[in-house]
């Protein structure tokens, strides 16, 4: 069955780096993604701009408010990924084939103690850590790796 007719879900993501140039990743609670990590990201609400959505998702998933972040740059263009065939029709109530992601890079101005994975109910991550940027694609769920490689390439000069 072809899902080419389905649209992409609009999404915003945030690549958060600390003073040492390490990238924040959280391990998703979702059992289908167990063992994989991702940067904060999520859907864009109706009428919401991409920057506001990215900062909202960052705060919801990590407890890190905008006052603890210096936004450095937006990605130059949205990045697309398709869901694997076994997930199309199951994720997002079958409405989308994948995501159109709008990424932002920011520097974390706070301390690790400011990170609170339970800031939003329900929590989306059960663990978090800082990783070397070069290792980011290795810990990401395989169908999102190309997007993460593109995000790294785009923001590498700022990290």
């Amino acid at each position: 069955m072809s899902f080419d007719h389905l649209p992409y879900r609009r999404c915003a993501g945030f690549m958060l780096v600390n003073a040492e140039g390490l990238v924040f990743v959280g391990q998703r609670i979702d059992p289908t993604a167990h063992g994989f990590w991702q940067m904060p990201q999520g859907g864009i609400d109706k009428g919401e701009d991409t920057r506001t959505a990215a900062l909202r998702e960052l705060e919801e998933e990590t407890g890190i408010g905008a006052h603890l972040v210096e936004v450095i740059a937006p990605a130059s263009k949205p990045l697309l990924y398709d869901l694997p065939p076994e997930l199309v029709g199951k994720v997002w109530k079958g409405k989308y084939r994948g995501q159109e992601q709008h990424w932002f890079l920011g520097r974390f101005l706070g301390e690790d103690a400011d990170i609170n994975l339970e800031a939003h109910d329900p929590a989306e991550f059960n663990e978090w850590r800082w990783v070397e940027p070069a290792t980011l694609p290795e810990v990401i769920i395989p169908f999102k790796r190309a997007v993460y490689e593109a995000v790294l390439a785009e923001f590498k000069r700022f990290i």
Side-chain angles (χ1 to χ4, degrees):
M1 180 180 237
S2 172
F3 292 93
D4 294 342
H5 65 284
L6 292 174
Y8 287 96
R9 177 179 181 251
R10 292 188 70 232
C11 169
F14 206 93
M15 176 184 251
L16 185 70
V17 295
N18 66 13
E20 291 79 38
L22 301 174
V23 179
F24 176 95
V25 292
Q27 185 178 49
R28 292 200 40 95
I29 291 174
D30 177 358
T32 63
H34 182 69
F36 292 107
W37 302 75
Q38 72 177 41
M39 296 184 287
Q41 61 185 62
I44 299 171
D45 293 337
K46 187 174 182 173
E48 188 175 39
D49 67 73
T50 55
R51 179 186 168 120
T52 301
L55 287 167
R56 176 184 52 74
E57 287 293 332
L58 177 66
E59 185 166 13
E60 286 178 4
E61 296 181 5
T62 68
I64 298 170
H67 67 288
L68 293 175
V69 176
E70 172 194 358
V71 178
I72 297 170
S76 60
K77 63 183 180 184
L79 300 168
L80 303 175
Y81 76 82
D82 288 334
L83 289 168
E86 65 272 13
L87 293 180
V88 176
K90 295 177 184 171
V91 178
W92 307 305
K93 300 178 184 174
K95 294 181 187 178
Y96 305 101
R97 66 183 286 176
Q99 288 191 343
E100 172 189 286
Q101 296 189 320
H102 300 261
W103 284 95
F104 290 81
L105 171 67
R107 178 99 37 218
F108 182 44
L109 305 175
E111 299 178 15
D112 286 359
D114 295 317
I115 298 170
N116 177 9
L117 300 183
E118 296 178 11
H120 185 261
D121 187 25
E124 295 203 25
F125 299 136
N126 58 12
E127 286 184 58
W128 68 272
R129 66 183 183 189
W130 297 106
V131 298
E132 290 287 340
T135 65
L136 190 57
E138 298 168 19
V139 299
I140 301 306
I141 199 159
F143 65 86
K144 292 184 182 180
R145 283 192 180 134
V147 167
Y148 275 61
E149 288 167 349
V151 170
L152 273 173
E154 176 106 19
F155 293 146
K156 187 177 183 178
R157 68 178 189 255
F158 297 112
I159 297 176

